[in-house]
Amino acid sequence: MLDSEEEDYECPLCMEELDIADRNFKPCTCGYQICRFCWHHIKENLNGRCPACRREYSDQMAEFEPISTDEIARIKREKKEKERQQKDMEAANRRHLANMRVVQKNLVYVIGLHPKLASEEVIRSNDFFGQFGKIAKVVINKRPVAPTTTATGTTSMQLSAAIYVTYQRKEDAAKAIYGVDGTVMAGRILRASYGTTKYCTYYLRNMTCPNPTCLYLHEPGEEADTISKEELATGYATRSNSPTA
């Protein structure tokens, strides 16, 4: 009977997993085991010798013990159970990421914008944020009232807008932050910083995302750029903000 640990056996030459039949295939008396594909390749196209002991391969030397139906069923059950456990482990490892946010170096978050300027056409124009580079997406959040600082330095509650500008290049986002943060537009001081984003729910569930234009994360973010929602809420990243709660 095969040992259950042999389920992880791989052919040392092609590194492919040995299938059920190959696991009981012994091409050489020295015990060096390879898959039947590599054995045939060595015999037909190379020197025809065992890579371990250098004996010449022959059909008479090769041993093959057929696997019983019960043994095949057992191996398949164990493999299926192992795959299930691996999926459960991956899901558990990703579950904690639902509470994390990752700073996006191509996402610019701007507050203090006058509502009359809060239109996608204006924001994308070359007179405004389009001058820094090609924009992939614009999200506008018009607030009823928010603390707003005017050019004179006074702060009061006024109608305001926050915007999220996603650039195609990180370098352009950096230029936008440098060029916008602290400037005065329509009599108001703008504040700009990197934005944050969250992990796609499909990624968290170890599933393929069906949305080809999804802007959420589908791979682990850099640890240095990752913070929790609690840290974000308590001001841990005072220069980063998120369009996603």
Side-chain angles (χ1 to χ4, degrees):
M1 177 178 289
L2 292 175
D3 190 289
S4 61
E5 292 184 358
E6 287 190 76
E7 191 171 341
D8 294 328
Y9 274 13
E10 294 177 342
C11 173
L13 302 184
C14 66
M15 302 308 294
E16 293 290 336
E17 181 181 354
L18 294 175
D19 63 25
I20 293 175
D22 282 339
R23 293 175 191 181
N24 273 14
F25 175 65
K26 304 294 191 299
C28 183
T29 55
C30 75
Y32 187 73
Q33 191 171 18
I34 60 177
C35 69
R36 286 172 297 171
F37 176 85
C38 288
W39 172 70
H40 185 268
H41 177 63
I42 291 173
K43 282 183 59 185
E44 298 298 322
N45 304 313
L46 301 179
N47 60 11
R49 295 182 179 276
C50 172
C53 70
R54 312 307 294 171
R55 286 190 182 93
E56 187 173 354
Y57 280 141
S58 68
D59 293 339
Q60 293 73 27
M61 181 190 300
E63 296 181 4
F64 178 72
E65 179 183 344
I67 303 176
S68 68
T69 303
D70 290 342
E71 186 73 0
I72 292 175
R74 182 188 68 80
I75 293 174
K76 287 183 176 180
R77 285 196 305 270
E78 290 182 356
K79 184 173 183 179
K80 192 172 183 179
E81 175 62 18
K82 182 178 180 181
E83 289 174 350
R84 185 192 66 79
Q85 292 177 357
Q86 185 174 356
K87 285 184 178 180
D88 290 345
M89 185 178 298
E90 289 178 355
N93 290 338
R94 292 183 179 185
R95 198 170 295 129
H96 79 283
L97 296 176
N99 196 43
M100 306 304 291
R101 297 294 180 264
V102 180
V103 177
Q104 290 294 95
K105 295 299 179 67
N106 67 330
L107 176 63
V108 179
Y109 173 73
V110 182
I111 60 174
L113 191 69
H114 196 290
K116 71 179 183 180
L117 300 176
S119 72
E120 185 163 348
E121 182 180 358
V122 171
I123 293 168
R124 286 181 176 271
S125 69
N126 289 331
D127 292 330
F128 289 90
F129 293 91
Q131 66 180 293
F132 302 108
K134 194 168 184 178
I135 296 174
K137 184 178 180 180
V138 173
V139 176
I140 301 172
N141 180 14
K142 293 185 178 180
R143 304 173 175 182
V145 290
T148 304
T149 303
T150 66
T152 60
T154 60
T155 301
S156 60
M157 301 296 292
Q158 298 184 39
L159 294 175
S160 183
I163 61 172
Y164 306 90
V165 183
T166 303
Y167 285 92
Q168 292 192 355
R169 301 195 318 150
K170 296 178 181 179
E171 298 84 353
D172 296 338
K175 288 191 298 182
I177 293 174
Y178 180 79
V180 172
D181 187 43
T183 61
V184 177
M185 188 176 294
R188 301 183 180 191
I189 297 178
L190 302 183
R191 290 300 176 190
S193 64
Y194 287 119
T196 62
T197 191
K198 65 180 180 179
Y199 287 92
C200 175
T201 55
Y202 285 94
Y203 172 77
L204 295 175
R205 289 181 287 176
N206 200 25
M207 298 170 63
T208 301
C209 178
N211 182 6
T213 61
C214 179
L215 294 178
Y216 296 136
L217 293 177
H218 301 89
E219 59 184 18
E222 294 291 335
E223 184 176 352
D225 295 331
T226 302
I227 57 177
S228 68
K229 289 173 64 176
E230 289 74 18
E231 290 172 328
L232 194 62
T234 56
Y236 177 84
T238 56
R239 299 300 292 153
S240 298
N241 290 275
S242 173
T244 57

